[in-house]
Amino acid sequence: MRNVRTVPLVRLAHEDGTERAVVVLRVGLPPALSLTDVVTAIAHVQLTVSRLAPPGAAVHVEPDVAADEATPTEAIVIRALE
């Protein structure tokens, strides 16, 4: 997928108290992307995954964007699931 460098995390679960599937992905994005490009990349990933996930699944996409090219995107910014 354009602008997605890595997908270092994919988690599958069910919501508490329901059987609704939840898919969480972390995607590594290049640091030079504009905010508009980040939003577009997230939307494309979310749409693609929602087409592959069970019907009605919640799909959450977390972006990792490094501050510079020398820093791996997976090492920075979002660690909400950990």
Side-chain angles (χ1 to χ4, degrees):
M1 198 165 280
R2 189 171 163 250
N3 288 326
V4 175
R5 294 186 347 182
T6 61
V7 182
L9 175 78
V10 176
R11 289 199 179 162
L12 306 172
H14 287 98
E15 283 183 333
D16 289 341
T18 73
E19 289 302 310
R20 183 179 182 200
V22 178
V23 181
V24 179
L25 293 98
R26 184 175 300 139
V27 294
L29 303 174
L33 288 182
S34 68
L35 183 57
T36 302
D37 289 336
V38 169
V39 171
T40 300
I42 291 169
H44 283 286
V45 170
Q46 191 169 26
L47 179 61
T48 300
V49 173
S50 67
R51 289 177 175 164
L52 299 170
V59 177
H60 302 281
V61 180
E62 297 180 347
D64 265 352
V65 182
D68 57 59
E69 287 292 340
T71 306
T73 57
E74 303 79 37
I76 298 226
V77 181
I78 297 177
R79 297 290 182 240
L81 291 177
E82 297 172 1

